[in-house]
Amino acid sequence: MLHEVVVYSLSGCPHCKALKTFLDNQKITYTNIDVGEDEKAAAEMIKISG
């Protein structure tokens, strides 16, 4: 079973950058969604994470 990795991030967030660096180093493919630039995505992230 394959899972798609989706990262909700902010451009200036050090934790987000560290996660994306880790995923890149592990050659894990992911979709990055910048919630600072997309209000709808930010609302979706809040709904998912509570």
Side-chain angles (χ1 to χ4, degrees):
M1 173 188 294
L2 292 175
H3 296 280
E4 180 180 349
V5 177
V6 178
V7 177
Y8 291 89
S9 67
L10 288 169
S11 60
C13 172
H15 301 289
C16 301
K17 288 180 182 180
L19 173 61
K20 292 186 285 185
T21 298
F22 172 80
L23 293 171
D24 290 338
N25 289 341
Q26 297 299 313
K27 303 203 181 339
I28 297 171
T29 311
Y30 61 93
T31 300
N32 181 59
I33 299 175
D34 187 338
V35 297
E37 301 206 3
D38 186 341
E39 281 186 41
K40 187 175 180 182
E44 181 181 329
M45 177 193 69
I46 292 168
K47 182 179 176 185
I48 291 168
S49 66

